């Protein structure tokens, strides 16, 4: 009787092993990094959303109303925040007015540091519709300003889970053509 049970148990084990060999194995699910992103694509998408929110906030700025600056400040940190505060405050105190909208032509993720969470984007923005005028209605925009700006944006995570802010924005000489 023990031999029959052993034989039945052995047969069941062999059958289970044979069936499991044919069963598809689950593909490993990427696990999020310490910075909260499971993949480079996920990090780039989050950085792009942050940059788009920043451009949307800039497009809503009314230089005569400093309260409209706050959404821009909310998307920035560090060097970018300092630069925005200085520039918008100077434009406001000079009585300048801005009109037009910036349009994003291209955004491309270029690098992601899995350890620090820093994400770099290259972007092209169309600023041809943007004008900044003084109280006399004279444009303050340089006639040499290119209509399409080629920029590099660095986005960093904050200690708050999932929160990203722009830490720097500057021109670039390399990267994707605009």
């Amino acid at each position: 009787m023990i031999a029959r049970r052993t034989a039945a148990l052995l047969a069941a084990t062999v059958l289970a092993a044979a069936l499991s060999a044919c069963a598809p194995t689950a593909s490993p699910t990427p696990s999020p990094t310490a910075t909260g992103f499971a993949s480079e694509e996920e990090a780039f998408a989050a950085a792009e959303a942050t940059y788009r929110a920043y451009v949307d906030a800039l497009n809503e700025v009314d230089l005569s109303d400093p309260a409209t600056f706050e959404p821009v400040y909310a998307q920035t940190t560090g060097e970018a925040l300092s630069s925005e505060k200085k520039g918008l405050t100077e434009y406001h105190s000079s009585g300048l007015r801005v009109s037009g909208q910036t349009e994003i032509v291209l955004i491309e993720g270029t690098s992601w540091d899995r350890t620090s969470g820093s994400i770099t984007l290259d972007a092209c923005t169309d600023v041809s519709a943007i004008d900044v005028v003084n109280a006399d209605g004279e444009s303050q925009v340089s006639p040499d300003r290119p209509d399409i700006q080629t920029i590099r944006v660095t986005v960093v995570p904050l200690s708050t889970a999932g929160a990203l802010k722009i830490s720097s924005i500057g021109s670039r000489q390399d990267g994707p053509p605009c």
Side-chain angles (χ1 to χ4, degrees):
M1 184 133 134
I2 292 177
R4 258 192 243 163
R5 266 195 260 162
T6 304
L9 184 58
L10 181 60
T13 304
V14 169
L15 181 61
L19 289 175
S20 68
C22 295
T25 57
S27 32
T29 304
S31 58
T33 62
T35 58
F37 301 113
S39 67
E40 186 176 65
E41 293 77 22
E42 198 177 289
F44 288 155
E48 179 177 335
T50 301
Y51 180 64
R52 286 186 183 282
Y54 164 80
V55 171
D56 289 345
L58 272 180
N59 283 334
E60 295 301 318
V61 164
D62 175 350
L63 293 175
S64 68
D65 182 4
T68 66
F69 305 169
E70 293 303 320
V72 174
Y73 301 157
Q75 298 297 325
T76 57
T77 190
E79 177 189 317
L81 177 59
S82 297
S83 177
E84 290 296 349
K85 283 186 172 184
K86 181 180 178 195
L88 291 172
T89 301
E90 286 177 5
Y91 288 167
H92 169 72
S93 64
S94 298
L96 298 176
R97 293 185 321 264
V98 66
S99 64
Q101 301 273 305
T102 296
E103 290 187 41
I104 298 170
V105 177
L106 173 120
I107 301 176
E108 192 174 286
T110 58
S111 69
W112 171 46
D113 182 321
R114 292 177 75 88
T115 305
S116 72
S118 178
I119 305 159
T120 304
L121 304 172
D122 283 349
C124 302
T125 56
D126 183 343
V127 295
S128 61
I130 301 290
D131 198 11
V132 179
V133 297
N134 64 16
D136 296 327
E138 298 166 335
S139 179
Q140 303 301 292
V141 174
S142 168
D144 298 332
R145 176 191 75 186
D147 288 342
I148 304 292
Q149 304 285 309
T150 56
I151 59 173
R152 182 153 291 143
V153 181
T154 303
V155 181
V156 296
L158 299 182
S159 57
T160 310
L164 295 175
K165 301 258 182 173
I166 295 170
S167 65
S168 69
I169 300 173
S171 62
R172 63 180 171 84
Q173 302 303 318
D174 58 353
C178 294

